[in-house]
Amino acid sequence: MSLLGGKKILIGVTAGIAAYKIPTLVRLCIKAGAEVSVIMTPKAKDFVTPLTLSTLSKRPVYSSFYEEEDENAMWNNHVELGLWADIMIIAPATANTLSKMASGACDNLLLATYLSAKCPVYFAPAMDLDMYIHPATHETFTKLQEFGNIMIPAGSGELASGLVGQGRLAEPEDIVQFIMKDILGKLPLKNQKVLITAGPTYEAIDPVRFIGNHSTGRMGIALAEIAANLGAQVALVLGPTAVSVTVHDRIEVIRVTTAQQMFEAVSKHYHTCDIGIAAAAVADYRPNAIATQKIKKTDGDFSIHLERTQDILKWMGTEKQYQFLVGFALETENEEENAKRKLVAKNLDLIVLNSLNDAGAGFKGQTNKVTLITKVQEQKAFELKSKKAVAQDIFETIATLRNTTVVS
Ligand code: CTP
């Protein structure tokens, strides 16, 4: 998933020749996973057809408060459109529309929607060279940015007039890149590396059998997805599971099978990470030898000699420098006492306790019920929730403990 995945983008098209680039912008936004709606100033229709834009966006394109020629015309509610959008992009933004936006004028649907929008508004100017550098235009740019709007600077090159200089509408690819960079730059976990272990481990007995557990990896996968949505670069070390991870450009999935492989992957990424979360259900023991052929049954009993695997989280606690370290404790008895003991023994900053005595908790299902216990033994019990919601709670707690804020 990209940063625009699931976002509702409202593109406002004004009457500039560069409007011919907007179908490409619509397609790129949709390709990035966004839902797109387009509004136009009436004159913009001279440069690109509403039909093209409605076909690409798969939504009606509005340009006036109501269609005069339609006797069943309905009022196009600019407030609703403004509230619908997560992001508004005005492109191409002509000098005329920009100056009206700066002065609060409201003589068309696009301007009324702009004034009603509660979301971040980006504007991508497009005009001739001399207009672009005119002090009046610069005053408009400054004023709009003071209002909190975000300017996507025009590119340089040959202009429709034949003049060469700044004023070309930024290319659609650059507009999308600019917005994604801007969104990323404002996310609370930007520039942070998060290392997460998840899922079970399988320890082979022979070529067909293994020692494993019921972990699905869902909790760790949810943590990875939330961390990436908050801007982090995530290394997800994932044991064998059939549960899929949403493709995300900031999640690297490292597939492993055994505890030893999980440890090796963790040791590669741990020293450069800022937050380490061990959500995996790692096997504590493995057969001390793996039979090369399938073990045949005999009449008598059979036993396997098991040896300890590496305690990965304990190693992370020992190696800890600046990392914020989170562990899980899955308990069936003396829950809090055991979790607190693990918190200290593994040098953690936070432990997530889930008790198998609570219905819906643990590693099998889609939900979890956790108690978070901090280093200073403060604890907070949460209700039964989806694993995504639990992951959000965990990151909010991490943010509070690290003195940062998480905005979902
Ligand atoms: N853990 C780990 N490596 C192991 C065992 C556990 O990294 N070999 C991590 C788990 O990912 C979890 C925490 O340690 O974050 C606690 O795991 P848990 O199985 O509850 O406890 P153990 O330390 O294994 O202790 P016990 O089995 O005695 O409860």
Side-chain angles (χ1 to χ4, degrees):
M1 196 161 82
S2 84
L3 282 164
L4 296 184
K7 291 259 189 297
K8 297 187 185 99
I9 301 182
L10 181 61
I11 301 182
V13 187
T14 74
I17 177 67
Y20 78 89
K21 293 182 181 176
I22 301 309
T24 308
L25 179 63
V26 172
R27 291 198 62 185
L28 289 173
C29 291
I30 287 175
K31 216 171 144 202
E35 214 179 308
V36 177
S37 204
V38 179
I39 50 175
M40 310 174 81
T41 58
K43 285 267 178 287
K45 292 195 277 186
D46 293 339
F47 295 93
V48 61
T49 72
L51 185 60
T52 306
L53 294 167
S54 61
T55 306
L56 291 172
S57 65
K58 299 189 177 66
R59 293 174 67 97
V61 169
Y62 302 109
S63 58
S64 55
F65 291 100
Y66 65 96
E67 309 306 326
E68 278 172 44
E69 57 277 15
D70 181 355
E71 57 184 27
N72 298 315
M74 290 203 1
W75 178 254
N76 296 323
N77 190 336
H78 55 91
V79 177
E80 235 166 58
L81 275 170
L83 292 177
W84 172 84
D86 297 317
I87 295 171
M88 184 170 185
I89 311 171
I90 298 171
T94 58
N96 184 39
T97 291
L98 290 172
S99 108
K100 286 180 182 177
M101 283 164 60
S103 66
C106 183
D107 62 1
N108 62 43
L109 179 74
L110 188 149
L111 289 164
T113 308
Y114 160 72
L115 289 174
S116 313
K118 297 250 185 299
C119 60
V121 177
Y122 296 84
F123 63 96
M127 60 196 73
D128 225 325
L129 166 68
D130 298 318
M131 293 166 78
Y132 195 80
I133 56 175
H134 196 281
T137 311
H138 270 253
E139 211 174 279
T140 299
F141 291 162
T142 309
K143 205 164 173 188
L144 287 173
Q145 288 176 96
E146 281 168 5
F147 291 164
N149 301 309
I150 305 139
M151 174 162 156
I152 305 174
S156 284
E158 199 176 321
L159 301 166
S161 62
L163 294 174
V164 177
Q166 199 172 11
R168 278 170 68 97
L169 176 70
E171 292 305 321
E173 291 79 4
D174 297 334
I175 293 178
V176 170
Q177 284 305 320
F178 182 99
I179 294 171
M180 294 217 277
K181 207 171 154 202
D182 184 66
I183 293 173
L184 184 59
K186 290 170 182 160
L187 290 176
L189 291 183
K190 65 171 188 293
N191 303 327
Q192 298 281 295
K193 282 193 187 164
V194 178
L195 170 62
I196 298 170
T197 67
T201 60
Y202 287 177
E203 307 298 332
I205 298 170
D206 68 13
V208 293
R209 302 176 179 101
F210 59 83
I211 297 173
N213 58 64
H214 295 297
S215 171
T216 57
R218 277 200 184 96
M219 191 63 245
I221 292 170
L223 284 160
E225 289 172 357
I226 295 288
N229 289 343
L230 293 171
Q233 189 63 45
V234 181
L236 173 65
V237 183
L238 184 59
T241 172
V243 176
S244 58
V245 185
T246 313
V247 177
H248 199 299
D249 43 16
R250 280 189 314 287
I251 302 179
E252 180 194 359
V253 183
I254 304 143
R255 295 268 177 184
V256 295
T257 303
T258 65
Q260 181 57 25
Q261 289 168 354
M262 186 171 276
F263 170 66
E264 282 162 20
V266 164
S267 58
K268 258 190 214 144
H269 289 83
Y270 183 59
H271 293 109
T272 54
C273 84
D274 301 285
I275 299 171
I277 306 179
V282 188
D284 290 323
Y285 295 93
R286 68 176 157 234
N288 71 334
I290 305 170
T292 51
Q293 304 298 329
K294 183 183 172 200
I295 299 169
K296 291 293 189 188
K297 68 173 172 294
T298 59
D299 289 338
D301 292 342
F302 176 71
S303 62
I304 308 169
H305 185 84
L306 299 176
E307 63 182 17
R308 279 293 308 271
T309 55
Q310 170 101 29
D311 188 325
I312 303 168
L313 184 56
K314 192 160 187 196
W315 175 87
M316 290 161 97
T318 313
E319 293 286 308
K320 188 160 93 172
Q321 291 167 317
Y322 51 83
Q323 288 85 356
F324 188 95
L325 200 51
V326 183
F328 275 69
L330 178 65
E331 305 294 340
T332 55
E333 57 181 348
N334 302 327
E335 292 94 335
E336 281 178 31
E337 193 189 318
N338 283 335
K340 286 177 183 169
R341 190 177 38 76
K342 285 176 192 175
L343 178 89
V344 176
K346 302 194 187 194
N347 191 20
L348 309 179
D349 298 288
L350 182 69
I351 194 152
V352 183
L353 163 64
N354 28 201
S355 164
L356 278 189
N357 297 322
D358 289 325
F363 54 33
K364 265 188 185 168
Q366 310 268 3
T367 56
N368 208 353
K369 184 173 186 311
V370 302
T371 299
L372 302 186
I373 307 174
T374 70
K375 212 173 171 169
V376 291
Q377 311 270 315
E378 276 171 1
Q379 64 186 70
K380 183 170 176 193
F382 292 81
E383 290 160 12
L384 183 73
K385 296 180 178 191
S386 72
K387 288 189 169 168
K388 272 244 159 114
V390 172
Q392 185 73 33
D393 288 338
I394 292 172
F395 275 106
E396 272 167 22
T397 306
I398 294 173
T400 309
L401 295 171
R402 295 172 85 217
N403 251 337
T404 49
T405 323
V406 166
V407 184
S408 55

